Every structure is written in C-alpha cells, then in structure tokens.
Amino acid sequence: SPVAAPLGLEGSASDLSFHTLYSTDSFSAEDKSSDIVALRFAHDSNNKKIVRYLKNSDDSNFPSLPVDGVAGIDLAEHIEQLTFEYYESASDLESGLFKTAWDSGAGADNKLPALIRIRLKVKDTKGLIQPKDFESVIYLKNAI
C-alpha cells in the first residue's frame, strides 16, 4: 500500500517546495473543499521567470516533495535572480547564519525553518536601468 509522504518543506537556494492547505476550487467545479497540496516556486534562469508548480494529493497520500512532473505557471518575468535563505531561529537571522538548502525529511526531524528570506533581483526588459533588489523575510509560526 502507498506510504503517505511526510508534510514538510524542501528547498535550495533558488527552488522551494512545500505542503500547504489549498482551496481545491481550481481542481473541480463541484468540490469547494480544501486539500493538502504541494507547491513549488522555482527560478527559470534561462527565461528570467519565476514559475509556480502545484500538485494536489490523490486519495491515498500527499504529493511528494520536491514537486515535479507537473506543468508550471509563470508568476513573474524579468527576474535576474531568486534566492531563498533558511534560518533555524530569529537569532540566526540577526547574526547572518543561514542555510542554502532545507529538507524537512532529511535529518531535520521533520522541522520547518523558523524564517525564510526571499530575495529578488529584477531587471527591466531593455536594460536601461540598474537591476532592483527586493527582499522579504517570512516567519513560519508553526516551525517551532
């Protein structure tokens, strides 16, 4: 019988997959419920895009991580760089100690990072202005 994949997060410096509760309206017009899905955000460096992949669970198990084998949807264009940094605690953020990869199922005891910093470098299509840097720090309240 199939084994359910553990809930978690798996990421590298430019690619992030995780499980989340998601409204399944987009999967079926009749079903207005929510379901555990796997989401993936990845940087397509060749086409300078951020691509979102979504995979819903089947009847017996959650989709495995990382999300693979499904068509992606372009979320943003003109993205020179997308970077994820994983922090085990807020004090690690203050001291600059981060990991460039995270796997909740491999040696992390199914833990989530406490924070994730997301950095974007955006460039206009004609190259007339310098690339702009944006960043945000996401706090995962269920991580601890």
Side-chain angles (χ1 to χ4, degrees), residues 49-143:
K49 295 179 180 179
I50 297 175
V51 183
R52 185 201 77 180
Y53 304 87
L54 184 145
K55 195 168 192 177
N56 63 317
S57 59
D58 60 28
D59 291 334
S60 57
N61 62 335
F62 301 127
S64 61
L65 298 179
V67 180
D68 207 1
V70 292
I73 296 172
D74 294 345
L75 284 185
E77 297 180 327
H78 316 301
I79 307 298
E80 289 289 309
Q81 190 173 14
L82 169 67
T83 306
F84 298 104
E85 297 172 350
Y86 308 94
Y87 296 84
E88 292 191 46
S89 69
S91 62
D92 284 348
L93 178 65
E94 293 170 11
S95 61
L97 296 173
F98 66 90
K99 298 182 180 205
T100 57
W102 192 276
D103 186 348
S104 292
D109 298 323
N110 290 324
K111 290 191 317 187
L112 297 173
L115 304 108
I116 301 173
R117 183 179 359 218
I118 304 167
R119 292 182 168 172
L120 290 175
K121 185 180 286 286
V122 181
K123 188 174 183 183
D124 71 306
T125 55
K126 298 179 180 166
L128 299 175
I129 59 173
Q130 291 293 321
K132 299 278 186 189
D133 294 320
F134 300 92
E135 77 172 52
S136 182
V137 175
I138 308 300
Y139 168 64
L140 303 178
K141 68 178 183 176
N142 295 327

Side-chain angles (χ1 to χ4, degrees), residues 11-84:
S12 69
S14 62
D15 194 305
L16 175 67
S17 291
F18 59 94
H19 291 108
T20 188
L21 193 61
Y22 191 84
S23 173
T24 56
D25 292 356
S26 60
F27 300 132
S28 167
E30 297 80 32
D31 182 8
K32 300 295 182 189
S33 63
S34 296
D35 199 1
I36 297 290
V37 300
L39 276 175
R40 175 182 173 209
F41 297 95
H43 184 229
D44 177 351
S45 58
N46 292 329
N47 296 307
K48 309 291 187 209
K49 295 179 180 179
I50 297 175
V51 183
R52 185 201 77 180
Y53 304 87
L54 184 145
K55 195 168 192 177
N56 63 317
S57 59
D58 60 28
D59 291 334
S60 57
N61 62 335
F62 301 127
S64 61
L65 298 179
V67 180
D68 207 1
V70 292
I73 296 172
D74 294 345
L75 284 185
E77 297 180 327
H78 316 301
I79 307 298
E80 289 289 309
Q81 190 173 14
L82 169 67
T83 306
F84 298 104

